[in-house]
Amino acid sequence: MQNFRLFYKPFPPEIHGKIGGVTGGKPGGRLTVMIDSTLTEEEQKKTLKHELAHIALGHLEDDRANRANYLKNVMELEAEADAKADSMTEAEFNSLMQWQITF
């Protein structure tokens, strides 16, 4: 698991409802997770679990050099993160949140 910074910001209206959260950064380095603050509290937590699942499953450590191969697998990675998020217990969620870097 990698350390991450967590931010809640309103996403632009043109992506509202399409993207609820994003995670980015350098593999092996500090990551940034952004959650759309205009979502309901319940949707924000579900989205956060999904983004944490990407980190826990190592999706951000994939070799992005072969972009065509990565894009081909995006739907598979999203489905895997959804499944992990849906089955995540509160204990597991709290354990993953311990990797958050606070300012």
Side-chain angles (χ1 to χ4, degrees), residues 24-96:
K26 294 184 179 183
R30 187 182 322 168
L31 300 174
T32 298
V33 176
M34 296 205 49
I35 305 296
D36 185 349
S37 63
T38 65
L39 298 174
T40 67
E41 201 170 304
E42 182 179 325
E43 291 170 322
Q44 287 179 27
K45 185 167 184 181
K46 181 178 179 175
T47 302
L48 177 55
K49 284 183 174 184
H50 175 92
E51 296 305 320
L52 292 177
H54 278 303
I55 299 169
L57 293 167
H59 291 170
L60 295 147
E61 297 170 15
D62 293 344
D63 179 13
R64 304 283 165 98
N66 185 348
R67 187 157 174 78
N69 188 48
Y70 171 74
L71 291 174
K72 183 176 124 186
N73 295 317
V74 166
M75 291 183 70
E76 183 179 318
L77 295 174
E78 291 301 320
E80 187 178 21
D82 279 341
K84 176 75 173 165
D86 290 345
S87 68
M88 192 179 292
T89 65
E90 280 300 307
E92 188 175 9
F93 174 74
N94 291 332
S95 177
L96 293 173

